[in-house]
Amino acid sequence: MNKQVSAQEAISHIQDGMTILYGGFMGVGTPKILIDALIEQGTKELTVIGNDAATPGAGIGRLISNGQVKKLIASHIGLNPEVAQLMNTGKLQVELVPQGTLVERIRCGGAGIGGFLTQTGLGTEVQEHKQVIQVGTQKYLLELPIRADVAIIRGTVADTLGNVFYRATTKNLNPLAATAADLVIVAAQEIVDPGELDPEKVMTPCVYVNYVVGGES
Amino acid sequence: MNKQVSAQEAISHIQDGMTILYGGFMGVGTPKILIDALIEQGTKELTVIGNDAATPGAGIGRLISNGQVKKLIASHIGLNPEVAQLMNTGKLQVELVPQGTLVERIRCGGAGIGGFLTQTGLGTEVQEHKQVIQVGTQKYLLELPIRADVAIIRGTVADTLGNVFYRATTKNLNPLAATAADLVIVAAQEIVDPGELDPEKVMTPCVYVNYVVGGES
Amino acid sequence: MALKDKELIAWRIAQELKDGDVVNLGIGLPTLVANYIPEEIQLMLQSENGLLGMGALATDAQVDPDIINAGNQHITTQKGASYFHSADSFAMIRGGHVDVTVLGALQVDELGNIASHMVPGKMVPGMGGAMDLIAGARRVIVAMLHTAKGEAKILKECSLPLTGVGKVNMIVTEKAVMEVTSHGLVLKEIMPGSTLDDIFATTEASFFLAENLALNDRKTLEGGEDGDQASNF
Amino acid sequence: MALKDKELIAWRIAQELKDGDVVNLGIGLPTLVANYIPEEIQLMLQSENGLLGMGALATDAQVDPDIINAGNQHITTQKGASYFHSADSFAMIRGGHVDVTVLGALQVDELGNIASHMVPGKMVPGMGGAMDLIAGARRVIVAMLHTAKGEAKILKECSLPLTGVGKVNMIVTEKAVMEVTSHGLVLKEIMPGSTLDDIFATTEASFFLAENLALNDRKTLEGGEDGDQASNF
């Protein structure tokens, strides 16, 4: 059950047209070496789903700059002017989702929950094309789960079984994205043997992880 | 912002007829000293909500044995024959909820989510009186949030601000219950000053906690 | 004799488990499966109270009051274990991240329905995590004795309140191994000591015979090996 | 002058905060509120990327690459801080556990609607966490300049796509402090340097005058004290 492989081998399972969930908030917590490997591999027509578009030189922004992304689903693109430009010229589809709704939809995708009711976005454009469900006197939007073909995750410490710890604010979307994809690849700053990672610090139990890659910066 | 008080002072806010969420799984992770204080105070007609009925001598079982509970909402009562007897003689109302649905309903109560869709219980008695929501070709039960007046929580280590760490399998319902009540009381085995509890081990951020009580066994 | 039957059931189910599987074993008979896991495979046992990587029962010297399984037993943990709260535990279960769950049952029927959590007016222990496990696990294997006090438990239609609808994949008793298919029940194996006539006589449900119907040899068990026939599945 | 206005707004909003509050400050002008929190109160700043207990901006020597706030700034943490993932962060926000959120806005209207996340065809940065903060925080305070390029921003009805419906509780600009009530907007204070005529001239929305309409004295700010008038609220 040793899941450690090279970045190239892990990324070789990602094919043109696939959907990828990525961890990170403004690039902090996005796995740099997996983005490197995806750029090297040149996989195209990707749909990527994560918190934000980072900046042109950081995180998922690099993959977008390199023309490998067909569609971006995120809550915020305001700090990446290149994304706005690509969107306005029709070269990139962008779907904007409220941040709390986005992360909860991903959690539902991993947790086998068919959807959830929220008042976030009620009465705004976010409501379009969505079921409105009434409970008592309150109205809610029904938001549906998100899953992806692949999740690319950045861990601080992982063991070879695939248990992962994320330090400080690098957690963000990482432990959620790791539950909601068919193939989950973790790039870790440090890889240890089973038993060396404090069970109390594991935020992603190994069951969710397919591959562990070392050498993340 | 020092939230440390005595068990008696914390429990004095619990009044007859209130609804209480309690942490613990078969008594492991249920705050013993808060149950002691509730028994001493003699508060009656309580509705208690938690994973199970434990056993007659353990956890919430002691409060039930003492006749202070009007209604129990839980997923399992099979290891507490006294509860079955009280239920059959009409002295205790019991509402049984699938465990995963119960904990997710409590999470919703704390997270401002109006409900969630699940296939757990579909086509069984659990479905009775519930909205069935169709998404695509799939049917789901709409399960609604649970909140309580009070949550009684057992922590391994808490700081005086109310940050809490739960060791090993004492987590169970505790961090969830702590989010879903108007008044949250934590009984901790150890109380430390702010800054002494590793921020990476905090499972209940202090915002959720009203009172911290020391001396839990 | 009863114990021997239960051990046989547990042994047979253990042969279904694969290297790397995440497995949740119900309380009672299913727990025995852990004793027969083939040495060459490594798997992770999940306990719904918030543990992945459950080890053997704790000896008196090993007991840690903060560590129990869902059956309220003090246990040890494997290397690589992790702890989580109940919502994360059931996210794992409901989300399809548990490969196999093994559960006891009062009744099972031709449609893969299962009744396991109550006998109205007699025994109402609550469903615990069973409904979530049945709804969420990728594969649901029922471990039970073929009959209860002479009454059939594999029925045309469950008469007790259902715990899960159409979710059972396999039934293993001391007499038979059956699979639930879209066409109905299929008898795949006759367990050692039983016969086809015996199974017909003690099963209310209709069932098909598998083309390659296998007769398990009790020697396979006694030899501690995974026989050819059992490994067909 | 523009900076002075923004500081004034930030100072005024800081007076609204109470000991023990959990506060989320939006990017830009709202962030300045942190500089004016009265010394005698302790509060916890929440950052939606997964931090409760945000401290001051990190100096070059303090920068930890793993610790940022939602505005992508490297920050320090308070004693008693904690980290969590995004779903737990928004559970905290949506669940009403954040006492106050301070947000910028493009437009606000008489019904407490707010437009803050896009100008169609011109600026579409995405709503980030704003919609969740507006829907979930117990109290929503808007911090903005009273006008944009001479155009009123406090309107009868927002013309831009809404970010939240009927959720704004208070509006603080360099000219006015208004509360949103079920009867409509109420002018509670005239900010130093402004006049009632000025506010009428630069506000499209109708508003009532509070019975105890207060005129904030700029000296209160310069003296660094919480004036009598400001503390009426």
Side-chain angles (χ1 to χ4, degrees):
Chain A
M1 292 214 287
N2 186 326
K3 296 175 181 170
Q4 192 172 355
V5 298
S6 69
Q8 286 69 27
E9 183 179 335
I11 290 297
S12 71
H13 296 91
I14 306 184
Q15 293 158 25
D16 289 356
M18 278 190 168
T19 298
I20 302 179
L21 273 164
Y22 59 96
F25 195 109
M26 290 309 303
V28 174
T30 303
K32 183 176 178 302
I33 56 172
L34 300 184
I35 300 285
D36 289 342
L38 264 168
I39 289 174
E40 188 188 321
Q41 184 172 288
T43 317
K44 294 184 304 288
E45 298 287 305
L46 298 169
T47 294
V48 297
I49 309 170
N51 186 73
D52 55 68
T55 56
I60 202 72
R62 294 171 56 221
L63 205 60
I64 297 171
S65 298
N66 204 38
Q68 296 177 252
V69 177
K70 179 181 65 178
K71 183 175 181 177
L72 168 69
I73 300 174
S75 74
H76 198 263
I77 58 172
L79 298 182
N80 191 333
E82 196 177 350
V83 164
Q85 196 189 348
L86 289 167
M87 178 174 69
N88 291 336
T89 56
K91 290 178 182 151
L92 177 71
Q93 300 169 48
V94 176
E95 186 179 325
L96 292 165
V97 181
Q99 200 166 119
T101 295
L102 180 69
V103 300
E104 192 65 22
R105 288 177 64 191
I106 295 167
R107 181 179 178 277
C108 286
I113 292 174
F116 70 101
L117 305 188
T118 180
Q119 296 193 322
T120 297
L122 201 63
T124 74
E125 61 193 353
V126 168
Q127 183 171 330
E128 281 172 31
H129 312 300
K130 286 181 186 151
Q131 281 194 56
V132 176
I133 306 273
Q134 181 142 358
V135 179
T137 60
Q138 299 284 321
K139 287 183 177 171
Y140 298 90
L141 299 188
L142 172 61
E143 294 282 359
L144 302 180
I146 289 177
R147 284 190 59 86
D149 297 312
V150 186
I152 56 173
I153 302 296
R154 192 255 202 188
T156 305
V157 184
D159 69 21
T160 54
L161 293 171
N163 291 299
V164 192
F165 162 65
Y166 311 92
R167 185 172 166 271
T169 63
T170 68
K171 297 175 181 54
N172 53 67
L173 215 54
N174 277 305
L176 304 156
T179 68
D182 297 337
L183 181 79
V184 177
I185 306 169
V186 175
Q189 290 186 295
E190 184 184 355
I191 296 184
V192 299
D193 287 331
E196 288 184 18
L197 176 55
D198 180 357
E200 300 291 2
K201 286 196 168 173
V202 173
M203 286 192 76
T204 295
C206 57
V207 42
Y208 293 107
V209 175
N210 298 91
Y211 296 116
V212 177
V213 174
E216 174 68 15
S217 60
Chain B
M1 293 215 284
N2 186 327
K3 296 174 180 169
Q4 191 171 356
V5 298
S6 70
Q8 287 68 29
E9 183 180 336
I11 290 296
S12 71
H13 295 90
I14 306 184
Q15 295 158 25
D16 288 357
M18 277 190 170
T19 298
I20 302 179
L21 271 165
Y22 59 96
F25 195 110
M26 288 311 300
V28 173
T30 303
K32 182 174 178 303
I33 56 172
L34 300 183
I35 301 285
D36 288 343
L38 265 168
I39 289 174
E40 189 188 320
Q41 185 173 288
T43 317
K44 295 183 304 287
E45 298 285 307
L46 298 169
T47 294
V48 297
I49 309 171
N51 185 73
D52 54 69
T55 55
I60 202 72
R62 296 170 56 220
L63 205 61
I64 298 171
S65 298
N66 204 39
Q68 296 177 252
V69 176
K70 178 182 65 179
K71 181 173 182 180
L72 167 70
I73 301 175
S75 73
H76 199 263
I77 58 172
L79 298 182
N80 191 333
E82 195 176 350
V83 164
Q85 196 189 344
L86 289 168
M87 179 174 69
N88 292 336
T89 55
K91 288 177 184 153
L92 177 70
Q93 301 170 49
V94 176
E95 185 179 324
L96 292 165
V97 181
Q99 200 167 117
T101 294
L102 180 69
V103 300
E104 192 65 23
R105 287 176 65 191
I106 294 166
R107 180 178 178 277
C108 285
I113 292 174
F116 70 100
L117 305 188
T118 181
Q119 297 193 321
T120 297
L122 201 63
T124 74
E125 61 192 352
V126 168
Q127 183 171 330
E128 281 172 30
H129 310 301
K130 287 182 186 151
Q131 281 194 57
V132 176
I133 306 272
Q134 180 141 359
V135 180
T137 60
Q138 299 284 321
K139 286 183 177 171
Y140 298 90
L141 300 186
L142 173 61
E143 293 283 358
L144 301 180
I146 289 177
R147 285 189 59 87
D149 297 313
V150 186
I152 57 172
I153 302 297
R154 191 255 202 188
T156 306
V157 184
D159 69 21
T160 54
L161 293 172
N163 291 299
V164 192
F165 163 66
Y166 311 92
R167 185 172 165 270
T169 63
T170 68
K171 296 173 181 56
N172 52 65
L173 215 54
N174 276 306
L176 303 157
T179 67
D182 297 337
L183 181 79
V184 177
I185 306 170
V186 175
Q189 290 185 295
E190 185 185 354
I191 296 185
V192 299
D193 287 332
E196 288 184 18
L197 176 54
D198 179 357
E200 300 292 359
K201 287 196 169 172
V202 173
M203 285 191 75
T204 295
C206 57
V207 43
Y208 293 107
V209 175
N210 298 92
Y211 296 116
V212 177
V213 173
E216 174 68 16
S217 60
Chain C
M1 177 64 191
L3 189 65
K4 193 76 184 165
D5 283 349
K6 289 182 179 175
E7 285 170 354
L8 186 65
I9 294 167
W11 164 80
R12 179 60 191 86
I13 290 173
Q15 312 313 312
E16 292 294 308
L17 305 179
K18 293 191 291 290
D19 197 43
D21 273 354
V22 175
V23 179
N24 185 299
L25 301 175
I27 299 173
L29 168 45
T31 302
L32 299 178
V33 173
N35 301 337
Y36 296 96
I37 296 167
E39 269 180 33
E40 66 276 16
I41 74 169
Q42 280 191 300
L43 43 78
M44 297 289 269
L45 294 177
Q46 203 258 14
S47 187
E48 60 263 40
N49 58 320
L51 170 60
L52 181 72
M54 186 161 54
L57 288 179
T59 62
D60 284 353
Q62 289 173 322
V63 164
D64 178 327
D66 286 348
I67 307 182
I68 60 165
N69 64 14
N72 200 22
Q73 297 170 306
H74 287 287
I75 45 155
T76 60
T77 60
Q78 279 181 269
K79 272 189 186 176
S82 53
Y83 302 109
F84 28 84
H85 61 54
S86 300
D88 280 350
S89 183
F90 281 89
M92 193 181 283
I93 289 168
R94 202 193 300 101
H97 310 286
V98 170
D99 297 295
V100 180
T101 187
V102 183
L103 293 165
L106 299 164
Q107 299 176 337
V108 187
D109 71 22
E110 294 178 9
L111 296 170
N113 297 324
I114 174 173
S116 69
H117 77 288
M118 71 181 292
V119 182
K122 288 181 82 172
M123 183 201 71
V124 189
M127 61 292 280
M131 283 192 176
D132 308 279
L133 281 161
I134 292 166
R138 294 198 185 182
R139 192 149 180 244
V140 177
I141 301 178
V142 167
M144 64 175 194
L145 293 175
H146 205 87
T147 56
K149 299 179 187 166
E151 297 280 315
K153 298 177 70 176
I154 305 177
L155 307 175
K156 289 193 178 304
E157 198 179 334
C158 292
S159 59
L160 292 170
L162 295 183
T163 312
V165 176
K167 292 286 187 181
V168 174
N169 299 103
M170 178 179 255
I171 305 160
V172 178
T173 74
E174 77 284 13
K175 297 181 194 291
V177 177
M178 290 187 182
E179 280 193 359
V180 183
T181 74
S182 53
H183 305 294
L185 298 180
V186 176
L187 178 66
K188 304 285 283 192
E189 297 172 35
I190 298 169
M191 292 288 272
S194 187
T195 63
L196 191 54
D197 283 349
D198 182 21
I199 294 170
F200 271 120
T202 54
T203 305
E204 186 204 284
S206 303
F207 56 87
F208 298 94
L209 304 188
E211 274 188 32
N212 56 346
L213 178 63
L215 188 67
N216 267 320
D217 184 350
R218 194 175 282 262
K219 280 182 197 150
T220 342
L221 170 58
E222 283 159 4
E225 281 179 9
D226 182 6
D228 278 341
Q229 292 132 321
S231 67
N232 283 344
F233 298 85
Chain D
M1 179 64 193
L3 186 66
K4 193 76 182 163
D5 283 349
K6 289 181 179 175
E7 286 171 352
L8 186 66
I9 294 166
W11 164 80
R12 179 59 191 83
I13 290 172
Q15 312 312 312
E16 292 294 308
L17 305 179
K18 292 191 291 290
D19 197 41
D21 272 354
V22 175
V23 179
N24 184 298
L25 302 176
I27 299 174
L29 168 45
T31 303
L32 298 178
V33 172
N35 301 335
Y36 296 96
I37 297 166
E39 270 179 33
E40 66 275 19
I41 73 168
Q42 281 191 300
L43 43 77
M44 297 288 269
L45 294 177
Q46 202 256 17
S47 187
E48 59 263 41
N49 59 317
L51 169 60
L52 180 72
M54 184 161 55
L57 288 179
T59 62
D60 284 352
Q62 289 174 322
V63 164
D64 179 328
D66 286 348
I67 308 182
I68 59 165
N69 65 13
N72 199 22
Q73 297 170 305
H74 286 288
I75 46 155
T76 60
T77 60
Q78 277 181 270
K79 271 189 186 176
S82 54
Y83 302 108
F84 29 83
H85 62 52
S86 299
D88 281 351
S89 183
F90 281 90
M92 192 180 284
I93 290 169
R94 202 192 302 100
H97 309 286
V98 170
D99 297 295
V100 180
T101 187
V102 183
L103 291 166
L106 298 165
Q107 300 177 336
V108 187
D109 71 22
E110 293 178 9
L111 296 169
N113 298 324
I114 174 173
S116 69
H117 77 288
M118 70 181 291
V119 181
K122 286 179 82 174
M123 183 201 71
V124 189
M127 62 292 279
M131 283 191 175
D132 308 277
L133 281 161
I134 293 166
R138 294 197 184 181
R139 191 150 180 242
V140 177
I141 301 179
V142 168
M144 64 177 193
L145 292 174
H146 205 86
T147 56
K149 298 180 185 166
E151 298 281 313
K153 299 176 69 176
I154 305 177
L155 307 174
K156 288 193 177 306
E157 197 179 334
C158 291
S159 58
L160 292 171
L162 295 182
T163 312
V165 176
K167 291 288 187 179
V168 174
N169 299 103
M170 179 179 253
I171 305 160
V172 179
T173 73
E174 77 283 13
K175 297 181 195 291
V177 177
M178 290 188 182
E179 281 192 359
V180 183
T181 74
S182 53
H183 305 295
L185 298 180
V186 176
L187 178 66
K188 304 286 284 192
E189 297 171 35
I190 297 169
M191 292 288 272
S194 188
T195 63
L196 190 54
D197 283 348
D198 182 20
I199 295 169
F200 272 120
T202 55
T203 306
E204 186 205 284
S206 301
F207 55 88
F208 298 94
L209 304 188
E211 274 188 32
N212 56 347
L213 177 64
L215 187 68
N216 266 320
D217 186 349
R218 192 175 283 260
K219 279 182 198 153
T220 338
L221 169 59
E222 283 159 3
E225 280 177 13
D226 182 7
D228 278 341
Q229 292 131 323
S231 66
N232 283 342
F233 298 85

